């Protein structure tokens, strides 16, 4: 099956204006994400999907393939679906948000491998052990719980499972008690095109987590567990920390 990675990149951002074009590292944020995606071994193409001519111009400047998308889209998934609707040559579509510059290429490959291995699921994603108490309590860090087959039971901004009595040793337990969800999805093409037309679900609206639309609609989602993960860039503090890490 041929696989395409799409990086949805919009210019508007409430908490970090024009973050895709921030370039204190010498490269724009979207270029860092594109380079991570381009390193994946299980991808046949990498496309940046945007409604911004400024982002498109910057992306073409570092050699990326760019497709313009409808500015009315409400989510990155909608942009990925629009691009997928134009291309029948790819069977699998990876949605990698443009603000994920430190997403390991190996984690992209894991998620693609997971959907290959579980032919009954229409979508896969990736998670990693969560071993930091502050992150466990941080609503910006999304948690996921799995069934015994490695499929998602639920995603939440709250600590799940919720310990009746917390013991710090639980953070280092094996297998891990808590898993952090990473911002990456792999869709089968036909499912993606249909999913983009589904209305937002009640759970999705409550948690503000789009992936809950999949689960509430009754579809299974496979979750690959990676050894380590990364966090997206949402705030000025996130970006400052990223610049500091890149500069070391």
């Amino acid at each position: 099956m041929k696989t395409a990675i799409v990086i949805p990149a919009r210019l508007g951002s409430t908490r970090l204006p024009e973050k895709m074009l921030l370039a204190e590292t010498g490269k724009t944020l979207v270029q860092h994400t594109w380079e991570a995606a381009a390193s994946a071994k299980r991808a046949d193409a990498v496309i940046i999907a945007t409604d911004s001519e400024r982002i498109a111009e910057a992306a073409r400047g570092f050699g990326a393939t760019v497709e313009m998308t409808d500015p009315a889209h409400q989510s990155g998934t909608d942009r990925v679906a629009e691009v997928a609707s134009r291309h029948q040559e790819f069977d699998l579509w990876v949605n990698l948000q443009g603000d994920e510059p430190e997403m390991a290429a190996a984690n992209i490959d894991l998620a693609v491998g997971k959907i290959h291995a579980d032919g009954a699921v229409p979508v896969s994603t990736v998670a990693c052990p969560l071993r930091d108490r502050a992150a466990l309590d941080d609503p910006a860090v999304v948690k996921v719980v799995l069934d015994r087959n490695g499929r998602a039971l639920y995603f939440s901004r709250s600590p799940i499972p919720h310990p009746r009595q917390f013991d710090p040793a639980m953070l280092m337990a094996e297998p891990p008690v808590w898993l952090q969800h990473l911002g990456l999805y792999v869709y089968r093409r036909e499912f993606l095109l249909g999913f983009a037309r589904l209305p937002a679900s009640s759970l999705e609206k409550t948690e503000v987590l789009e992936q809950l639309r999949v689960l509430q609609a009754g579809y299974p989602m496979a979750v690959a567990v990676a050894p380590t993960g990364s966090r997206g860039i949402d705030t000025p503090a996130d970006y400052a920390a990223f610049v500091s890490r890149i500069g070391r």
Side-chain angles (χ1 to χ4, degrees), residues 11-12 15 27 41 45 51 62 72 76 96 101 183 185 234:
L11 195 61
R15 289 181 288 179
K27 298 177 182 178
K41 296 178 180 178
D51 59 0
F62 55 75
L96 176 61
Y185 301 92
D234 293 319

Side-chain angles (χ1 to χ4, degrees), residues 27 29 36 61 85 107 114 116 123 127-129 135 198 218:
K27 298 177 182 178
L29 189 65
S85 71
N107 289 353
K114 191 72 172 179
H116 275 273
V123 57
C128 69
L198 289 176

Side-chain angles (χ1 to χ4, degrees), residues 123-202:
V123 57
S124 66
T125 187
V126 65
C128 69
L130 197 166
R131 304 199 183 278
D132 179 80
R133 179 61 191 273
L136 180 63
D137 294 330
D138 186 349
V141 177
V142 177
K143 279 67 70 171
V144 59
V145 291
L146 311 182
D147 68 13
R148 64 182 181 180
N149 297 312
R151 295 180 179 180
L153 288 171
Y154 194 70
F155 297 86
S156 182
R157 297 184 181 279
S158 298
I160 54 170
H162 187 85
R164 185 170 182 179
Q165 291 185 317
F166 178 79
D167 180 347
M170 297 170 71
L171 289 167
M172 304 310 296
E174 289 293 349
V177 176
W178 293 287
L179 294 172
Q180 173 188 340
H181 179 233
L182 306 180
L184 166 71
Y185 301 92
V186 185
Y187 297 97
R188 299 188 193 277
R189 181 176 182 272
E190 291 307 312
F191 176 79
L192 171 62
L193 298 181
F195 173 67
R197 294 191 292 267
L198 289 176
S201 73
S202 59

